[in-house]
Amino acid sequence: SKATVSVLNWRGLQATLLHPAIHIHTMPAREAVTASDLFLEDIENLALNPRVQKYATLRTTKEAQQAKTHWKRNIHPAGQTREGDWEDAKETTLGVKGAWDEARRCLKCADAPCQKSCPTSIDIKSFISAIANHNNYGAAQMILSDNPVGFSCGMICPVSNLCVGGCNLAASDAGAINISGLQDFAVSHFKQMNIPAVRNPELPPADQMHASYHTKVYCVGSGPAGLSCATFLARMGYDNVEILEKLPYAGGLSASEIPQYRLTDEAVQWEVEKVKEIGVKVTLNAEYGAGQYKTADLLKAGGAVFVGCGLPTPNVDAVFAGLTQGNGFYTSKDFLPKATASSKPSCACSTGGQRMQMNGKVLVLGAGDTAFDCCGSAFRCGAKRVIVCFRRSTADMRAVEEETILARNEKAEFLPYCQPKAVVRDPTTGKITGCVMYKMERDDDGNWFRDEDQTLTVKCDYIVSAFGSMLGHSLTDELAPYVDMKWGKVSVDEKMRTKTAGVFAGGDCVGSGLTVEAANDGKTAAWAIHEYLQAKHNPTVPVPKEAKLPKFHTEVDAIDISVDFCGMKFPNPFGLASAPPATTLPMIARGFEQGWGFAVTKTFSLDKDIVTNVAPRIVRGSTSGAHYGPHQGSFMNIELITEKTCAYWCSGIRQLKHDYPKHIVIASIMSAHNKEDWQELTKLAVESGADALELNLSCPHGMGEKGMGLACGQKPELVRDICGWVKEVCPIPFFAKMTPNITEICDIVQAALDGGATGVTAINTVSGLQHIKMDGAAWPRVGSSRLTTYGGVSGNAIRPMALKMVSSIANKFPNCPILATGGADSADSVIQFLYAGAAVVQASSSIQNQDFTIVQDWISGLKWHLYAQTRPDLIQWEKQIPPPDAGKALTTGVPPRFGKYLRNRHAETAAAKKAALEKGLVGRHADPQPAPAPTHRVPKVNDLIGKALPTIGSFKNLLGMAPHNQAVAAVNDDLCINCGKCMMTCNDTGYQAIRFDADTHQPFITDSCTGCTLCVSVCPVPDCITMVDRNAATRPEAPEYHPHRGIPLGQPQVPVGAKVKLAV
């Protein structure tokens, strides 16, 4: 090839050795070239680049079958290869990109059915919205506030029958949201933050609490019910709460019976630590009803007890009478603790470190969730085949689809319509060799019965019975005088009260078989215990009829996010813009109730300038593409200023300041270029009690034709006049609102400051034409004539413009106070505006996308950001995600995840797990570490203002860095999904610097890379491609960047068809 191609870097060289089809091209010596040579490109680089298809494609069916096999990704490892592999196997688990994409699909529905379908009533829509806004801390806080075992529930909740079953998106072709995956994602990232829980900060110190809060309360069992009850009691201020656990480890059935591949030991023990952090005592090896733990003694002392234990005694069919584990027979209560002890470090003490081992064929009896836990665990203990046998049809299985799908993927076998009749054993050893089954039939009324004329024998080596369980005799004997029993369960009322005052129960022992239901029982009982203890020991103080359970708190929540700005104290930097969210006074009041720190009223004028709006006028942005629902990229409006009178707003401002004295109210006013009008409006607004004024000099549509808004704001002399007139009569701060629809915004800012403005607001909406439909009419179109006009574009689409203008103003006028507006949609984006030089930020489009409550997400997100500045381990987190391992940015030689490569990965994993089993390494994990102590003080919001300005300037500041200080792209093969987007963008819009292997579809970046960063920008996997410094370590063959000029500098043009010798 005559194409000029640089030598591949070391990574490409390695790839060349692995893939002989890739050749190394060296730089040719100077030779005679023609103009046609200027159009030559590297054929190999372009071999797989998309091309327009001119003809229908023809290939044989055999070729298609081979290709299908080669590229197949949905290959699930069979159960018999899972021995020792207790890693996460859930289909719902999400990575960063998957979580962000899934969260952005959520509609945040009104009166959300998902929340109503959750037993613990987690605010699902809000925590998902927080994830979409990159606030994992806020999301986890919402989850744990209502469900102290929300981490466990995110992993194992049967959401298809709960929240997901009620998701409104299930009615659309998009399908329901993966709620459990998002919940797991949020809490797991919060766990990584290592931020301890703290006592409710709204409570008085413990020594100032009423004596009733020191009363002893026992929670029997450290499972979800006990942990939840103890947590909420501690949050309310009870400081003598003790959890009693009869096992040598905490966590209840979550720890002892739910396998590691579904619910990790780390998650369960982390939840136990959270309850300890707020003062709850957890006592192990403590059996209730024995020794000092007696119900009678506790009740005599005036305390209370919550029985939240499981059902430890299995139901065993008479067919299995006399069989033991030595024969190969296990109940789920025998088998699962042994299996989990093989993989969960906290449980290993119960087996002396001995690993549960099986081989051959295992018969699991039952069709509930427990049976399928036994099924998966049997494979991981070494079984080669697992048959799940049950009485009814597969359609009637009680297990949720999350369990059954996994079993099918692992090639478990299902045997419906069967009931055990007899066990077949080896006469010599007594070992189980099979099980004789009755066939089950169904009559016309739907009743199941066994047909004794039909039997079959199933050969097997082990039988695991999962036919349910009941309370043990010791606990039943202890509780018998205090509770009624029904069907082997404790009877309780709707508040989890038993027949004996002071004795409460919940969880498995009352029939709440789901983890989330048990957690809610504990939550319900906590409030009932509070009512009982206060009525008994503190009757003069009434307990509210409506439960007021404290939320989950950390030290982050105590951080002050107020802002000192122009002599005003803003509770936080988040405000309602002079836009649709501030249409009426009650709307502003509702915004304050939800947590917004300030509001700018809808712009009002003198009555002589009153307006009437047209319709339609606020439309979805065309920049959002095919996305519908929340998170629109933009809106466009042709709405004018308020339709309400000046008297309405002035009266309302006065009332708002009376009702919300700590909130800032800014009056937005507008007039034409008329001194008397401006000064009259100013006096009225000041007399109303407004804290400040905003002069609307920027409305881009409608008002300009009346000589107002944009008509004033585009001319420096008019802005200077207006600000001067207002200054003469205004004793409070006032801000000129800037239009972006101008060549140089700083000229207008200078005029405003010269006129006496306190500062500026930047920016108003950007003038635009949103959409032209295929019938040739624009949208929005008004009336039968279908007319439109240029309107104001708002939302995320204009944020880059707003950030540019805010930072330009702040750099040129360092002492100019700035209120920012234009595309704020999260705490992250608000922080960007603060870094760019603004002190407070207004919002509208984000509220149009969601509702007023998003401010709580922003508040917690900003507090987390300030807290992170105090800890070196968190300060580098971006979007509340830990930074990628720098050492993995150059990960190479890792095979892709499809076809033979994926099968090889599975085989290597299985071999590694088996080797780890032999060495006794399975199930080990690092002990939890205490939260690092902060090394810096918590900054104030004011400390963030302008932080980025020293790094923002003109392009000439960058020129001194070239050609040194260059960066190049690096691909992490282990994260790559082999889509080729990087190669395509590099070939068709970049520098043809990426090779793409035809067999593995792995990209290889050559030394021709110029560091343009296009590949990073289009890569669908976060952190898969990163930019690294160009130096001898990353580019040994080309450590410095030298542009390819095509024809060397100083050389003449090449004539068509002629050959010219280029000078060296």
Side-chain angles (χ1 to χ4, degrees), residues 234-489:
R235 288 182 190 174
M236 287 186 281
Y238 291 91
D239 58 6
N240 198 5
V241 181
E242 184 175 0
I243 295 176
L244 305 178
E245 174 54 62
K246 73 172 184 178
L247 295 174
Y249 52 86
L253 300 188
S254 297
S256 65
E257 295 191 18
I258 301 179
Q260 174 81 359
Y261 66 89
R262 290 189 60 223
L263 176 56
T264 65
D265 191 37
E266 297 93 323
V268 176
Q269 298 310 315
W270 180 82
E271 289 169 339
V272 174
E273 288 303 312
K274 286 297 146 195
V275 72
K276 289 181 180 179
E277 286 170 355
I278 56 175
V280 174
K281 181 180 179 182
V282 179
T283 302
L284 304 177
N285 299 302
E287 186 165 0
Y288 190 72
Q292 66 192 69
Y293 307 115
K294 294 285 190 178
T295 308
D297 296 338
L298 180 64
L299 295 180
K300 286 179 184 177
V305 60
F306 172 73
V307 180
C309 60
L311 302 173
T313 304
N315 293 322
V316 182
D317 194 291
V319 170
F320 306 114
L323 291 176
T324 67
Q325 296 176 28
N327 304 125
F329 174 75
Y330 294 85
T331 68
S332 61
K333 294 295 180 180
D334 301 323
F335 173 65
L336 287 175
K338 289 180 177 294
T340 54
S342 300
S343 59
K344 294 188 176 184
S346 66
C347 307
C349 57
S350 64
T351 62
Q354 293 297 311
R355 182 172 66 88
M356 178 68 185
Q357 289 184 285
M358 307 183 95
N359 52 62
K361 188 190 299 184
V362 177
L363 186 64
V364 176
L365 304 176
D369 296 337
T370 300
F372 282 91
D373 283 343
C374 293
C375 170
S377 296
F379 276 132
R380 287 157 179 80
C381 289
K384 300 307 178 186
R385 289 178 63 189
V386 179
I387 302 173
V388 183
C389 179
F390 41 93
R391 293 188 307 149
R392 301 182 182 180
S393 68
T394 53
D396 294 317
M397 289 190 298
R398 290 185 294 108
V400 295
E401 62 185 46
E402 290 89 343
E403 292 264 29
T404 59
I405 289 173
L406 178 60
R408 285 193 177 99
N409 288 342
E410 293 186 348
K411 306 298 188 292
E413 301 166 51
F414 294 176
L415 185 59
Y417 309 114
C418 288
Q419 183 178 11
K421 176 183 179 182
V423 175
V424 182
R425 292 195 286 166
D426 185 295
T428 303
T429 64
K431 296 284 188 180
I432 292 173
T433 60
C435 187
V436 181
M437 297 286 187
Y438 288 115
K439 288 295 289 182
M440 300 296 293
E441 294 289 350
R442 198 174 193 174
D443 62 25
D444 294 340
D445 295 327
N447 300 312
W448 292 90
F449 65 95
R450 68 188 188 193
D451 185 348
E452 301 199 10
D453 293 331
Q454 295 188 76
T455 62
L456 75 157
T457 301
V458 180
K459 292 183 178 181
C460 60
D461 301 291
Y462 300 89
I463 294 175
V464 180
S465 170
F467 286 153
S469 53
M470 57 188 175
L471 279 174
H473 294 298
S474 61
L475 192 54
T476 302
D477 293 342
E478 170 64 22
L479 293 175
Y482 308 100
V483 305
D484 290 328
M485 304 290 289
K486 186 176 182 180
W487 304 110
K489 308 290 195 303

Side-chain angles (χ1 to χ4, degrees), residues 677-734:
D677 289 354
W678 275 108
Q679 291 192 339
E680 182 182 353
L681 261 177
T682 299
K683 291 176 182 177
L684 290 169
V686 170
E687 290 169 0
S688 72
D691 295 289
L693 305 183
E694 183 176 89
L695 315 185
N696 188 336
L697 306 175
S698 49
C699 183
H701 49 264
M703 305 311 295
E705 287 90 330
K706 301 178 67 174
M708 305 164 75
L710 190 69
C712 297
Q714 289 182 322
K715 299 177 181 179
E717 61 276 15
L718 300 188
V719 171
R720 188 179 300 109
D721 288 346
I722 292 169
C723 291
W725 297 334
V726 171
K727 180 66 176 176
E728 291 176 7
V729 296
C730 185
I732 59 176
F734 70 94

Side-chain angles (χ1 to χ4, degrees), residues 130-131 133-140 856-858 860-861 864 880:
I131 294 172
N133 288 336
H134 311 134
N135 181 11
N136 295 324
Y137 170 81
Q856 289 302 319
D857 167 27
W858 297 15
S860 63
W864 184 90
Q880 294 196 15

Side-chain angles (χ1 to χ4, degrees), residues 952-970:
I952 301 172
S954 64
F955 189 81
K956 67 180 181 181
N957 298 333
L958 311 179
L959 296 178
M961 296 183 177
H964 307 292
N965 296 316
Q966 292 288 318
V968 291

